[in-house]
Amino acid sequence: LQKLIHLLQATDDPLIQEQALITLSNSAAFSVNQDIIRNLDGLSVIGGMLSDCVPKVQEKALNALNNLSMNIKNQEEIQVYITQVCRTVESAPLNSDLQLAGLRLLTNMSVTSDYHQKMINSIPCFLHLLSEGTERTQIQVLKVLVNLSANPAMTRHLLRAQV
């Protein structure tokens, strides 16, 4: 895991970055690896890949963070990327794998109300995706919206959203 994280930092080759991110994502299926990746500062390295100009690299980074977000301690670190993930969801091509990867991460990060405030500005986008997206996109957006709606503090924001 340490070598993969170092490889991500050392290379500019998008194909190598994608493969390293896929491997880290698969490794994150095991809770012990989630802790190891966090302790090796892997979350910030993977999070840095969200700014990459190659959409496939961004998508693989989102998938890795999604798997890593199943851990509460990891969520505490991943939450700094929520606004960036929301922007990615808004700017990604409609129904793209990149958009869906962002929505999946937002779904996991919205299971508890801890980070709902960071998603308020994206509610109009979520509602737009609900009306314009394919069934896959709609289902993923609904998961985020259901999580947000479970928080009474979000009611006003959900009802006042300009669509």
Side-chain angles (χ1 to χ4, degrees):
L1 293 174
Q2 186 175 31
K3 289 183 190 277
L4 283 170
I5 292 167
H6 285 338
L7 180 62
L8 271 179
Q9 293 173 304
T11 185
D12 289 331
D13 184 332
L15 293 176
I16 293 173
Q17 290 171 334
E18 278 184 61
Q19 289 305 309
L21 288 165
I22 289 169
T23 304
L24 285 168
S25 182
N26 291 340
S27 298
F30 303 97
S31 57
V32 66
N33 290 342
Q34 294 171 3
D35 293 330
I36 292 170
I37 292 169
R38 182 185 64 253
N39 293 332
L40 292 171
D41 199 33
L43 296 175
S44 66
V45 173
I46 295 167
M49 300 276 104
L50 296 177
S51 300
D52 199 278
C53 59
V54 179
K56 279 289 182 193
V57 171
Q58 289 177 319
E59 175 196 335
K60 302 308 183 210
L62 287 165
N63 288 338
L65 289 175
N66 183 48
N67 287 350
L68 289 161
S69 73
M70 303 307 281
N71 175 310
I72 296 297
K73 287 184 180 177
N74 285 354
Q75 281 192 3
E76 292 170 6
E77 290 190 34
I78 293 170
Q79 60 95 15
V80 301
Y81 302 108
I82 290 176
T83 304
Q84 185 177 0
V85 173
C86 287
R87 282 194 307 264
T88 299
V89 167
E90 291 176 30
S91 63
L94 183 63
N95 306 313
S96 64
D97 289 337
L98 177 60
Q99 190 173 61
L100 287 166
L103 287 168
R104 282 191 295 272
L105 176 56
L106 293 175
T107 298
N108 281 351
M109 294 300 292
S110 64
V111 168
T112 66
S113 61
D114 296 344
Y115 311 113
H116 286 182
Q117 293 290 47
K118 293 177 178 272
M119 298 180 204
I120 287 173
N121 292 334
S122 295
I123 291 173
C125 170
F126 299 152
L127 295 172
H128 170 75
L129 293 176
L130 189 57
S131 66
E132 298 296 321
T134 61
E135 186 175 319
R136 280 178 47 193
T137 301
Q138 290 173 336
I139 288 169
Q140 210 55 58
V141 169
L142 280 171
K143 290 177 180 182
V144 175
L145 290 171
V146 165
N147 288 346
L148 295 177
S149 70
N151 179 356
M154 296 301 290
T155 303
R156 179 173 45 102
H157 301 288
L158 289 165
L159 295 176
R160 287 188 179 172
Q162 296 295 314
V163 183

